[in-house]
Amino acid sequence: MIELPAPLTPPDCDLSDFQYMELDVRRLRDSRFAASADGEAFRAAILLWCAAWHQTPASSLPDDDIELANLAGYGRVVKEWRKVRAEALHGFIKCSDGRLYHPVIADKAVSAYAAKERHAYGKFCDRMRKENVKRTHEKKPPVGIPSLEQWKSGAYPNGILPDSENIPPESKPLSTGIPAENPLRGNREGTEREQNGEGTINYSLPNGKGAEAPSPGLAKSPDQMTKTELWAVGKSILFEAGTPVAQCGTVVGKLCKDYGDEIVIEALRTAAVQRPVDPIAFLKATCQTLVGERKRKTPWWTSDELILAEGSKHKLAPYPGENMATFKARVQAAIDGPDVTPAQPPPKVVTPTIIAEPEVKRDMTPAAKESRSQALKAALKMKRASIPGDLGVEYSLESE
């Protein structure tokens, strides 16, 4: 009986979150397989390589014609698959676990899986260092950081604890064999997916969506949560509302920069209770309220005094005779910007001065009346001389 070789990749080698697979272009182009394979067989082989990359273990395929026909693009037409089976499976070998492995793909898979583990271990060490900074401030002994091999064994998911103290729980594992602290999605391709908002990082939330198994440290009311727990809850609320995973931490971090950690922690505590539909707007408004920005002044347009005060900020003052509504419109135009045409000042109205004719006394003597009449005629003559042209005005002096 022929002894089959051991599997070419570890049983827990899961690269299903790796969007891309390396392809040795020159090796494939110059290979005998590319030169001699039938077109249908070549197409089926490429599809099987892609399928093997996302199988577990990576680089392997099941030795079953029904499954292979489906993976190779033949669906349920197993008879047609069997016509190209031998050529399409060129390079695959059967191993002791009963699965078919491709040595070239296996070599790429082992390298990618090792990079994935190193990436996850680096994030784990960063988290442990941050935890030790916090413990130093709290005057607690630091947590020991296990080696890569110790971490891979799964014996120290929370670091090497100095005592029975608990630290924030790890995130949900990606696959069997990867310790629970790894929230990352593969190598550079996986990082690109996270930046594009395509990941499945899950933040457990008490009584929240997707909290398959809330961690004991998060099974608390918002009032009992620590800063780290509230930070994770805030990211979870943002993620559930549709915020891309890569932006959740950025949103919370900007709020901390603008308002301070303590204010943001209280805002997150409130959001954990109310579960707002628009968490970004809710968190910002809550932070503003907590720092007093929303306890302020009555709107400037609600009284004449406030309108005048707002106008003075923009170096504006009412024109003579301008009503308050027009002035308010000019102030609003100044606030809106230079593209808005301000209201023009009202035209200056000149009121003519009317000189009343002195009252004629009824008991005037004839001599006085004659003297008055002569004076009026002289005045009329002078007035006519001062008016240019004939305006068609008739003047009448009636002697009383």
Side-chain angles (χ1 to χ4, degrees), residues 168-169 171 201-209 211 214-215 217-241 243 248-249 252 264-276 279 282-283:
S171 301
I201 298 178
N202 182 32
Y203 298 97
S204 297
L205 194 63
N207 302 321
K209 301 175 185 176
S215 303
L218 293 181
K220 305 174 184 178
S221 68
D223 290 338
Q224 297 173 326
M225 290 183 186
T226 65
K227 175 181 175 180
T228 304
E229 291 166 346
L230 284 168
W231 185 278
V233 168
K235 290 182 179 179
S236 177
I237 293 173
L238 291 167
F239 178 70
E240 290 174 8
T243 305
C248 293
V252 180
V264 175
I265 289 300
E266 290 304 315
L268 290 172
R269 205 182 301 278
T270 305
V273 174
Q274 299 189 19
R275 301 295 175 83
F282 177 86
L283 289 170

Side-chain angles (χ1 to χ4, degrees), residues 64 175 295:
D64 180 271
S175 61
K295 294 182 186 175

Side-chain angles (χ1 to χ4, degrees), residues 55 57 60 62-63 65 95 121 131 241 267 278 324 343 359 390:
Q55 290 276 309
S60 71
D63 187 15
D65 280 342
C95 293
Y121 177 69
E131 177 63 21
D278 186 353
M324 193 55 66
E359 184 180 357
D390 185 6

Side-chain angles (χ1 to χ4, degrees), residues 40 74 117 176 234 268 359 394:
E40 276 295 310
Y74 286 90
E117 286 186 319
T176 306
L268 290 172
E359 184 180 357
E394 294 184 358

